[in-house]
Amino acid sequence: MNEQGKGFPIFRMNEIKNCFATKAAKYADISAGEFEQFRLRRNDVLFNRTNSFEFVGRTGIVKEQIDSVFASYLVRAVPNEQEILPEYLTVYLNTKFGIGQVKRRAMPSINQANVSAAELKHILIPMLPMSIQEGVAEKLNKSYELKKKSQRLYSEAQQCLVNELGLDHVAFEKSIGYESRLSEVVSGNRIDAQCYKPDYVNYERFLRKNSKFELLRPLLSSITKGNQQTCVQSGTINYVSIKDIDGLELISDGRCIYESNLCMANKDDLLLAVTGATIGKVGIVNRYEGLTYSGDLLCLRVNTSLIDPHYLVAVFQNPILQSQCQRWITGSTNGHLSPLDVGRFVIPRLLPKIEKDISVNIIKSLDVRLESEYLIEQAKKQVEKLIEEAVV
């Protein structure tokens, strides 16, 4: 696999989320013959056969016809649509009954589990009437359309930001070597070459020269690092770490015991990854009134009288701030971003109406995503209810 675009997009377990196979992030440099053998088609169903016990059995449907393939640890199922609809099969395998059958067939090994393709064939599928399957498929397809709408709203917000800053017409030169002024070294209090690499400073220099800007720290009420906690089933409060940053927001799948010394994030706070391989990953607290967070996250509490947090999260997702995150990393083996350096990030400011328009699109994107997920939950509950009624 590679990230340089050599070959064909390849779907992995990472791209199977909430019943769908999303956009592939890596490529497989394979022959044309291999591509034809493993080429994915619309409505193929992908099943994750090998990973940690938690992720074995993760299933998603391919809804776009693109030239792509799938990783060797995935199994492709091509349903006979005269008997079973692929959307219905996908939803069933994501219900508690489908997941339960997969888990009981999972063979444990060192740090992972496996369900073979042969075992997958033995999973029992309730053959509900085609009219019911069609209803389930309708919900799943509508959910996918809403998911695309959410992504479109986010893209429009980003495009507006880029256009207003004039970055749509800018191409930074690639240089073999580079130099920096002494004043930059003194103000940055850093002498390492990485801190002045063009890839990391070009956007900041462009903003300082061509737009109105402010430093991040004065726009915040507080910057607070989290506490590492242990997730337990009896937890009393939602708990998130870097892995729970999903797109624009935080989605918690764990809980911990509430204690008075825990750092809390509130609705509309931003949580920024400041340790490890995904430094700069950021999400906004949207679907929770409050949660606690791990020590590898930094909570940015926005002063809403000065800047809208939804505009700020859009800026954070853009290369404008991602490049600054990379610039100020310290450490070699395990990188780190300090609160002091985060506070010196350069934030572009636009006309209030433009910032408001970007914020509204981000809010709509989050709302539409929730609506999309709600339809999936409806479909799963419908199937589970029918199965339970049939057993009684």
Side-chain angles (χ1 to χ4, degrees):
M1 296 185 195
N2 68 84
E3 297 179 359
Q4 289 73 48
K6 296 178 181 178
F8 301 93
I10 180 167
F11 280 91
R12 304 165 296 151
M13 184 274 292
N14 309 57
E15 282 95 38
I16 299 176
K17 295 181 180 179
N18 210 9
C19 288
F20 297 115
T22 59
K23 184 178 180 181
K26 293 192 176 183
Y27 292 78
D29 192 6
I30 59 177
S31 68
E34 289 174 309
F35 166 68
E36 286 301 328
Q37 182 180 359
F38 298 105
R39 181 179 187 174
L40 285 169
R41 290 176 169 79
R42 186 175 181 274
N43 288 335
D44 282 355
V45 178
L46 295 177
F47 175 92
N48 183 44
R49 65 177 179 85
T50 302
N51 210 285
S52 65
F53 186 77
E54 177 187 0
F55 297 123
V56 164
R58 182 181 282 189
T59 304
I61 188 171
V62 177
K63 295 305 295 183
E64 300 287 341
Q65 184 63 59
I66 56 176
D67 289 343
S68 58
V69 293
F70 56 102
S72 61
Y73 52 81
L74 301 180
V75 173
R76 169 173 54 188
V78 182
N80 176 354
E81 296 192 32
Q82 299 301 314
E83 300 290 337
I84 186 169
L85 296 182
E87 294 91 350
Y88 167 68
L89 176 62
T90 301
V91 168
Y92 170 71
L93 289 175
N94 279 278
T95 65
K96 61 184 179 183
F97 298 110
I99 293 170
Q101 286 200 64
V102 172
K103 298 299 187 189
R104 64 184 287 264
R105 287 176 167 82
M107 298 294 292
S109 60
I110 301 173
N111 295 325
Q112 65 177 12
N114 177 71
V115 177
S116 67
E119 281 292 330
L120 178 59
K121 293 178 182 178
H122 294 297
I123 292 176
L124 300 176
I125 309 293
M127 300 302 291
L128 298 179
M130 189 56 69
S131 59
I132 293 175
Q133 292 190 37
E134 289 170 349
V136 171
E138 183 180 357
K139 286 186 176 69
L140 194 66
N141 289 329
K142 178 64 183 300
S143 171
Y144 186 72
E145 290 304 314
L146 289 170
K147 179 183 176 68
K148 288 200 299 183
K149 181 180 178 181
S150 173
Q151 293 168 342
R152 187 167 61 252
L153 287 163
Y154 168 75
S155 296
E156 289 172 1
Q158 286 293 343
Q159 192 59 53
C160 179
L161 176 63
V162 168
N163 291 346
E164 289 297 319
L165 291 172
L167 288 167
D168 51 333
H169 300 300
V170 173
F172 298 120
E173 292 184 6
K174 296 287 184 180
S175 57
I176 298 174
Y178 54 93
E179 59 185 32
S180 192
R181 295 180 179 276
L182 177 61
S183 58
E184 287 184 295
V185 176
V186 173
S187 63
N189 197 30
R190 292 270 293 272
I191 61 171
D192 54 302
Q194 169 195 295
C195 193
Y196 308 98
K197 188 176 179 182
D199 290 348
Y200 299 158
V201 300
N202 278 338
Y203 282 104
E204 180 179 338
R205 286 175 178 169
F206 179 87
L207 292 178
R208 287 180 179 274
K209 184 177 179 181
N210 298 284
S211 66
K212 182 181 176 183
F213 67 88
E214 294 183 68
L215 297 184
L216 178 60
R217 186 62 187 93
L219 299 173
L220 303 176
S221 300
S222 63
I223 303 181
T224 312
K225 193 174 181 182
N227 317 93
Q228 215 64 31
Q229 298 293 313
T230 301
C231 290
V232 293
Q233 287 187 341
S234 59
T236 54
I237 188 168
N238 288 101
Y239 173 72
V240 294
S241 60
I242 289 178
K243 68 179 179 60
D244 298 309
I245 301 176
D246 190 345
L248 280 172
E249 60 177 322
L250 284 299
I251 301 179
S252 171
D253 65 357
R255 296 176 70 84
C256 68
I257 302 296
Y258 175 78
E259 297 177 358
S260 58
N261 64 335
L262 287 181
C263 294
M264 296 294 298
N266 299 330
K267 186 173 173 58
D268 293 340
D269 284 350
L270 274 60
L271 291 177
L272 173 69
V274 293
T275 304
T278 55
I279 287 176
K281 197 174 180 183
V282 67
I284 190 168
V285 181
N286 178 61
R287 54 183 77 188
Y288 312 96
E289 291 303 319
L291 50 75
T292 187
Y293 53 99
S294 61
D296 47 19
L297 292 174
L298 202 62
C299 178
L300 310 178
R301 183 155 295 160
V302 176
N303 183 338
T304 54
S305 66
L306 299 177
I307 193 169
D308 190 299
H310 298 92
Y311 169 72
L312 187 58
V313 78
V315 176
F316 256 102
Q317 296 267 344
N318 192 279
I320 294 167
L321 246 64
Q322 287 300 302
S323 59
Q324 294 184 58
C325 288
Q326 297 305 309
R327 178 186 182 187
W328 296 108
I329 291 175
T330 57
S332 53
T333 305
N334 190 33
H336 178 72
L337 198 56
S338 76
L340 180 64
D341 288 330
V342 171
R344 70 170 82 198
F345 287 177
V346 175
I347 309 299
R349 300 310 305 264
L350 306 174
L351 293 173
K353 181 184 182 304
I354 303 299
E355 289 191 5
K356 180 66 174 178
D357 289 344
I358 292 172
S359 298
V360 167
N361 264 21
I362 295 296
I363 292 168
K364 286 180 179 178
S365 176
L366 292 168
D367 289 344
V368 171
R369 176 180 176 171
L370 275 173
E371 188 180 350
S372 170
E373 293 177 6
Y374 175 71
L375 280 173
I376 292 175
E377 289 305 311
Q378 272 193 321
K380 289 194 289 188
K381 287 178 180 178
Q382 178 187 357
V383 173
E384 289 172 348
K385 182 180 178 183
L386 289 168
I387 293 172
E388 289 167 348
E389 289 175 349
V391 172
V392 174

